[in-house]
Amino acid sequence: MTDETPLRPKPILSKSFGGQGNVPTPPRRSRSPFGGETGPQGMIVLGFIALVLLAIVSPLAARRATDWFWYQEVGYERVFLLKIIAQWTLGLVAGVGGFLMLYLNARVALRGIELDPILVVMDRSGAGPGTEAALVARLARVLALPASIMLAAFMALIAATEWRALVQFFYRSPFGVTDPIFGRDVAYYVFTLPVLENALDFAGLALVLALGVITLPIYIARANIGRREWQLRFEQGAQMHLAILGALLLAVTGLRTLIIGVPSLLQSSHGPLQGASYTDLHMRLPMLRVMGALAFGAAGLILWGALRGLLVRTAAVAVGGYIVLGMLLMGVIPAIFQRLVVQPNELTRETPQIGHHIAATRRAWGIENVEPRELDAQRRLTLGDIEANDATISNVRLWDREPLLQTFGQIQAIRTYYDFVAVDDDRYRLNGDLRQVLLSVRELNTAALPTRSFINEHLTFTHGMGLTLGPSNQVTAEGLPVLWIKDLPPTSSVPINVTRPQIYFGELANDFVLAPSRQRELDYPAGEGDAAVYSTYAGEAGVPVGSLLRRLLFALRFGSLNVMLSSDVTATTKVLYHRSIMERSRLALPFLRFDRDPYIVVTDEGHLKWILDAYTTSDRYPYAQRLTDGTNYMRNSVKVVVDAYDGDITAYISDPDDPMIRTLSRIYPGLLRPLGEMPADVRAHLRYPEDLFRAQTGLYATFHVTNPETFYHQEDQWQIPQSQRGVEGGGFVRHTVMRLPGESEPEFILMRPFTPRQKDNLAAWMVARNDGENYGKLVAYRFPRQSLVFGPTQIVNRINQDTEVSRQVSLWDQGGSEVIRGELLVIPIEESLIYVQPLYLRSQGGRIPELKRVVVAHENQVAMEETLDQGIRRLFAGGTLAQRPAAVGGEAPPTAPGAAADPVSAATAELVRQAVQHYERARAAQRTDDWGTYGVEIQRLGEVLQRLNSARPPR
């Protein structure tokens, strides 16, 4: 008799109580479902359990109900309902299918076992009423149903998370691009393949649970285990049952290899190359097909072994052989092939694959249409070039976001509970001129309230108020930013008026508010003492909470009983929640990825609107290069506008050619509007998103090369220059207003420079255009490879080595002040460049950085002056620039075109102004015994007087 000869279990001799044995039958009593007698104590236990369940379920039900109220309020009910319906439908189908699979297998494995009313404690010696095997078998009979239900629920939860992939599959749109190997549309990899993968994974999980968690343990419990340990011998029926499940699992493995593994080669990674390599196509591809066939062969071998009563042995041979052959066919042989066949001739072998990789990456990231333009690096700028590009010079950004944010927080926060979160770049057309501005919203920070009570946090302090806005290049005589819109209530000195300054929805994640209520809402402090101006919310946002039931639901959601008990809540009161614009947009549009930098816009009516850039992404584009998070396809297909007062969320399609947004538009009809429906005053402020531009420029540094041989040698690879603050490229992505080379009008652009790989000289710079019909166009300006153009790192080194700059910085540092070096700005002028770096001074322990100097550099020349105009004059051989109205040092807004001043009188007036500044600063330093600063200012005063004397016309 072999070790695997099936054995029949011995007769089970156990008897239940009440049978023919010597044990007397106990009297029957009414028992509770939990094993105890029913009575007062049992009722108390049941009541306690019911209360615990209610405490757990009630907040969950309240949250789901209030979520529905919110989606109704913002008009995105379809998003909420589709998710619920799809999740429940998919989960229910998966759960029922999984339960049937598990429970039917359990019933088959448990055939012939009857469940006694009471399980018996057996005698381990075997002399008692039962055996250990019998007890375990009966226990398995008891647990089969609940175990199947719990495992099926687990499977349903896993399946329900993949609802979006299934919905996108049903509404998929073609990409119109086929992969170069199998000729399938890219939509197959993005929409179809994930669904097939999920289905096969689910089938595999169901078979693993049925085999390893349900069926095999039951058969082990029922089997007679021999004296020799670790040798399992089953009945013939058990062997066949286990063999069928094992064969099905191997068959699913084979299908997954053929259906998923083969096309997934196009998304594999081999160092710098993404996609199928020469070894993949000529070795792993046929081996995958062999492995699929071997999986089916192993399944057949297991079934044959079960029929012959040799399940354990044949299963070990089948599974072990499949694993060993898999390691050999998919690992060892391809590695040998790669080393002996591919590596000696790698360029020749991989050239087609490199071409596929380049083409796919450029398409997937939208850089295939970048327009290259050549520049003449030998041209030296003149004063005439500077004057011809007055619009560019007038909009040079002298304020970095971080110092400006600190300054706003000190001079414009007004109260501690107001906060400036971020500084945004934008452009407005003022008096016919396109001007770059920097603006920041004054938001409410409830964490900084003097008293954090329910009334303060949720009824009185409900919103932020107004914003600050000023030109990017103007400073006051004290080195502070010029503000065109400032204070509370907001006052404006330019044709940009804020008529509705209240900000109920912003970047800060503040808690819910109840408005309008019997409590007045603070707008801003006014006058002396504790005087203030109040208002009442009259917007459309919010969910009504007039009824007792709704107040109870929101009290449960927010964990605040005051919501239900407060007498300040009226029949017209609404609750405003999800007030962070990022959270609000992600909840309304969960199928999009959002840019990290939302920005504020002032409309023609004076309303404040937030604009958020949203992306469609995928990680399944064949042959395309991936980012660190796996993304290898991205489009800025949606612009989202959120009203700062009403909270309205409106999504516009900005890239209708994107197949992913076409798919989403079919899933959510009417939810995404055409860009043409966006109001013109909002559309004028659209800008190219920074996150996408950073990704595109980072890839273009490598993928501007389209020749596979050059790409392989990395001979013309670029890199993003390192900023002086240690962030790679962090200081070199900037929105700015400038006139591009070859263009006639200034425009708002986003720019980033490139240097050659492991070199510091400049190779090129790339812009994304933002205005009108040119929106979204990418242009790369390239310098000749044989010419030397100084790059940012080299310019920074030259600035640091300049004796005047070094002396001044050292003098300031010794005087107890901190010098803050601004980011180096790369300013294209005609076909050349100038570099500008602002220097800020902050007193020790102070919080208000002041702009004190501007460094200007061109080629190998460096000049440092108090203003940009002075630096440019000094840099270009003492030439005289036409004075721009209020370019620096004043607070006057731009004047109308044609109001240019006389060059000589303007220059003289500028020198007089500087002399007065130096004199006043010297007097201030004298009063504080700051003799170092006093000496510097007196020296500067003398220099200005000498220049003023030489500029005086002869008599």
Side-chain angles (χ1 to χ4, degrees), residues 612-836:
L612 298 88
D613 288 286
Y615 308 108
T616 54
T617 61
S618 176
D619 58 357
R620 293 179 175 269
Y621 200 101
Y623 271 110
Q625 181 68 38
R626 300 178 184 275
L627 300 183
T628 54
D629 64 354
T631 303
N632 65 357
Y633 176 89
M634 179 181 284
R635 289 290 186 275
N636 175 214
S637 298
V638 178
K639 303 286 186 179
V640 181
V641 179
V642 181
D643 192 286
Y645 186 78
D646 283 328
D648 294 337
I649 308 168
T650 311
Y652 300 93
I653 298 177
S654 55
D655 186 0
D657 296 329
D658 174 26
M660 295 196 71
I661 206 62
R662 291 202 304 267
T663 298
L664 293 171
S665 297
R666 296 177 62 192
I667 296 174
Y668 304 100
L671 194 69
L672 305 174
R673 302 183 183 181
L675 190 62
E677 296 183 9
M678 180 182 289
D681 55 345
V682 177
R683 189 171 181 178
H685 294 278
L686 294 182
R687 69 185 194 188
Y688 203 81
E690 285 193 22
D691 284 354
L692 177 60
F693 189 67
R694 288 178 186 273
Q696 288 178 319
T697 50
L699 290 166
Y700 192 75
T702 300
F703 290 90
H704 69 277
V705 177
T706 57
N707 181 276
E709 183 175 355
T710 306
F711 183 92
Y712 176 84
H713 293 301
Q714 299 184 352
E715 191 270 333
D716 191 25
Q717 193 173 30
W718 300 340
Q719 64 185 19
I720 306 300
Q722 189 82 7
S723 76
Q724 64 270 30
R725 293 184 178 178
V727 180
E728 183 177 343
F732 301 115
V733 178
R734 282 289 181 263
H735 287 92
T736 186
V737 172
M738 63 170 292
R739 184 174 67 86
L740 292 172
E743 303 294 335
S744 58
E745 296 294 330
E747 56 186 285
F748 194 56
I749 59 100
L750 184 59
M751 175 188 172
R752 199 178 202 186
F754 300 101
T755 60
R757 186 170 177 265
Q758 298 181 347
K759 298 291 184 181
D760 291 332
N761 58 290
L762 206 65
W765 48 279
M766 184 170 169
V767 300
R769 305 176 73 175
N770 291 268
D771 294 335
E773 296 180 355
N774 292 321
Y775 176 85
K777 292 182 179 179
L778 302 177
V779 185
Y781 295 89
R782 305 167 60 125
F783 293 106
R785 295 170 59 185
Q786 65 274 14
S787 300
L788 175 63
V789 179
F790 290 121
T793 302
Q794 294 169 321
I795 294 296
V796 168
N797 292 335
R798 286 184 172 273
I799 292 174
N800 293 336
Q801 295 168 3
D802 185 82
T803 55
E804 183 180 0
V805 175
S806 178
R807 180 180 60 83
Q808 184 65 68
V809 171
S810 299
L811 184 61
W812 278 332
D813 285 337
Q814 293 173 3
S817 299
E818 178 189 2
V819 178
I820 303 175
R821 294 177 179 268
E823 290 285 4
L824 186 69
L825 305 176
V826 184
I827 312 298
I829 302 291
E830 298 300 338
E831 297 192 1
S832 187
L833 299 168
I834 63 172
Y835 290 88
V836 175

Side-chain angles (χ1 to χ4, degrees), residues 74 86 106 143 329 378 388 396 464 502 525 623 679 696 766 832:
V74 297
L143 297 178
L329 297 179
Q378 303 301 322
V396 171
Q502 292 86 356
Y623 271 110
Q696 288 178 319
M766 184 170 169
S832 187

